[in-house]
Amino acid sequence: MGEEISAEAERAGMLAALHAIIVGTLSTLKRKGVLTDQDLDQLFEAGLVTFERGEQDETRQAARLTLEILARSLRG
């Protein structure tokens, strides 16, 4: 594990790990009846609105894509 990894690989790995944790957490909450489909839609809409405010175009696009992927993972 002493090998250097690129900044791009590090960011991709963090995003993949975050994706797994978020999908796992929200899936569990949905399965246990704590969250409804409407609750999930509201969470993702709130996330999208947050990134619409003041973020750079590229960052906003990446955030939107990530939120859409997460939403699809939970609906699938």
Side-chain angles (χ1 to χ4, degrees):
M1 296 226 45
E3 294 179 33
E4 286 284 323
I5 61 170
S6 69
E8 184 176 327
E10 184 177 4
R11 283 189 297 272
M14 286 189 292
L15 182 58
L18 179 61
H19 175 98
I21 294 294
I22 295 295
V23 168
T25 300
L26 293 176
S27 293
T28 299
L29 293 174
K30 183 179 173 187
R31 190 176 59 252
K32 291 185 176 208
V34 175
L35 291 175
T36 65
D37 286 337
Q38 183 179 1
D39 293 331
L40 290 172
D41 288 344
Q42 289 174 348
L43 284 171
F44 286 110
E45 184 61 33
L48 289 171
V49 167
T50 298
F51 280 100
E52 292 296 324
R53 297 183 187 146
E55 291 293 332
Q56 298 173 351
D57 288 340
E58 198 171 80
T59 302
R60 185 172 37 240
Q61 290 171 344
R64 177 176 287 281
L65 178 61
T66 300
L67 287 166
E68 289 171 357
I69 291 168
L70 287 169
R72 279 196 309 267
S73 296
L74 287 166
R75 289 186 186 112

